[in-house]
């Protein structure tokens, strides 16, 4: 299992930090039963709408999918919205929050996940950067403006397998088809206004922070946005991952799922 010396070192950093920077990748969501919504992992198989094959998923992660295949795209992401709302964030979210409450500046979250689970777990909306956007906000597919609106209860009581073009969500300004405000691959239509504002809040929050500890969770190497961010913060890095846990510079790698390692850290922090 996890090396006890490494766990102790990580626990000491958390204990003495004045702020916790949480950098979360897809591995954080997986423990709640969610797939990586921008990825093409096999977890999709159980969520696919009727008639859709796993090989279809690749084309539905491309930026033009809402223009090219609007009905398929909405069946797919409508299902994704439903699944995100039905799943509850796992216990690791509350552990991190508890640790952060003991620090002077609290926590700030940087996540590539589009499921909104940090907010669902009670994290302050103004303390989250969603670097790839979110399923919980919509935008115009054109887009005709940089307007963004909350998804609200969109798709809650909809049979997504039976969706047809006239029933698809539309932009309230121009009537063009709407799409979720998250960044797909080769996506020139993404409205990044909300994410840019989140970045600005993170920069301001970091200024007075003296001794941050960075806790990176389940961040992949294929799209390294979260790893690159975690390494850019000046503070010891606790890298939690199933593999590729090496850390260059001050830090420690802890092998395991996010929930496994957070639980081990929580037990250590409670004991000493
Ligand atoms: Zn529009």
């Amino acid at each position: 299992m996890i090396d006890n010396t490494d766990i102790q070192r990580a626990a000491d950093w958390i204990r003495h930090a004045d702020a916790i920077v949480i950098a979360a990748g897809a591995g954080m969501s997986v423990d709640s039963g969610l797939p990586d919504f921008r990825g093409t992992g096999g977890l999709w198989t159980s969520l696919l709408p009727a008639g859709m094959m796993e090989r279809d998923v690749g084309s539905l992660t491309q930026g033009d999918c809402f223009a090219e295949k609007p009905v398929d795209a909405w069946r797919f992401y409508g299902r994704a919205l439903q699944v995100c709302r039905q799943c509850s964030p796992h216990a690791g979210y509350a552990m991190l929050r508890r640790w952060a409450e003991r620090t002077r500046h609290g926590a700030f979250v940087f996540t590539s996940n589009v499921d909104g689970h940090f907010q669902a777990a009670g994290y302050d909306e103004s303390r989250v950067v969603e670097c790839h956007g979110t399923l919980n906000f919509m935008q115009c597919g054109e887009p005709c403006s940089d307007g963004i609106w909350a998804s609200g209860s969109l798709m809650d009581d909809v049979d997504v397998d039976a969706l047809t073009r006239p029933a698809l969500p539309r932009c309230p300004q121009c009537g063009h088809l709407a799409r979720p405000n998250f960044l797909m691959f080769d996506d020139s239509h993404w409205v990044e206004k909300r994410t840019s504002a989140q970045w600005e809040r993170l920069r301001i929050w970091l200024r007075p922070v003296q001794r941050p500890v960075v806790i990176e969770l389940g961040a992949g190497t294929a799209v390294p946005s979260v790893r690159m961010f975690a390494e850019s913060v000046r503070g010891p890095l606790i890298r939690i991952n199933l593999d590729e846990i090496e850390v260059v510079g001050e830090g420690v790698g802890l092998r395991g799922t996010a929930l496994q390692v957070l639980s081990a850290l929580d037990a250590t922090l409670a004991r000493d």
Side-chain angles (χ1 to χ4, degrees):
M1 238 333 260
I2 312 160
D3 186 302
N4 200 41
T5 318
D6 288 343
I7 282 276
Q8 287 292 347
R9 278 179 79 201
D12 278 343
W13 285 326
I14 293 167
R15 231 178 252 123
H16 297 119
D18 68 346
I20 296 184
V21 177
I22 299 167
M28 184 66 172
S29 293
V30 166
D31 280 341
S32 304
L34 290 176
D36 173 359
F37 286 107
R38 286 172 83 255
T40 52
L43 274 167
W44 275 112
T45 320
S46 60
L47 306 178
L48 287 174
M52 211 176 280
M53 309 295 282
E54 197 171 2
R55 64 168 183 270
D56 298 328
V57 175
S59 66
L60 295 178
T61 59
Q62 294 297 317
D64 60 1
C65 72
F66 281 93
E68 298 295 318
K69 304 175 174 180
V71 174
D72 281 349
W74 266 113
R75 283 181 182 170
F76 188 63
Y77 288 106
R79 172 69 48 88
L81 256 173
Q82 292 175 342
V83 170
C84 286
R85 289 187 187 136
Q86 284 156 7
C87 276
S88 300
H90 61 74
Y93 289 82
M95 294 174 196
L96 286 163
R97 247 181 79 195
R98 206 164 356 94
W99 307 342
E101 277 163 10
R102 297 189 204 124
T103 67
R104 182 164 175 208
H105 299 287
F108 210 112
V109 175
F110 181 97
T111 179
S112 60
N113 299 327
V114 298
D115 49 46
H117 266 199
F118 279 96
Q119 290 94 327
Y123 286 73
D124 183 347
E125 166 76 20
S126 68
R127 295 277 192 95
V128 180
V129 172
E130 291 159 307
C131 68
H132 294 157
T134 176
L135 280 172
N136 289 323
F137 280 81
M138 294 289 135
Q139 64 164 83
C140 177
E142 276 290 285
C144 66
S145 75
D146 61 1
I148 285 169
W149 61 97
S151 308
S153 58
L154 187 71
M155 298 291 155
D156 269 6
D157 300 309
V158 174
D159 176 2
V160 290
D161 293 337
L163 271 177
T164 55
R165 200 173 164 116
L168 300 181
R170 292 186 177 272
C171 169
Q173 286 198 56
C174 74
H176 192 275
L177 289 176
R179 54 162 272 192
N181 178 229
F182 76 88
L183 178 65
M184 289 174 279
F185 296 103
D186 298 319
D187 187 359
S188 55
H189 298 304
W190 181 51
V191 173
E192 62 178 301
K193 181 179 72 171
R194 183 169 171 274
T195 296
S196 304
Q198 292 175 330
W199 269 105
E200 187 54 27
R201 286 196 287 272
L202 169 59
R203 272 191 285 272
I204 292 167
W205 177 82
L206 266 175
R207 269 182 214 148
V209 170
Q210 305 269 329
R211 296 182 314 280
V213 61
V214 185
I215 306 181
E216 182 198 278
L217 301 130
T221 52
V223 182
S225 331
V226 175
R227 284 187 177 232
M228 283 169 67
F229 166 75
E231 288 166 4
S232 75
V233 179
R234 57 186 199 302
L237 169 60
I238 302 170
R239 169 162 283 154
I240 300 172
N241 215 302
L242 285 169
D243 43 39
E244 299 184 80
I245 57 170
E246 295 71 23
V247 175
V248 178
E250 189 183 24
V252 69
L254 302 174
R255 195 181 297 279
T257 72
L259 182 54
Q260 277 169 358
V261 178
L262 289 174
S263 301
L265 276 168
D266 199 48
T268 303
L269 285 164
R271 202 165 43 237
D272 306 327

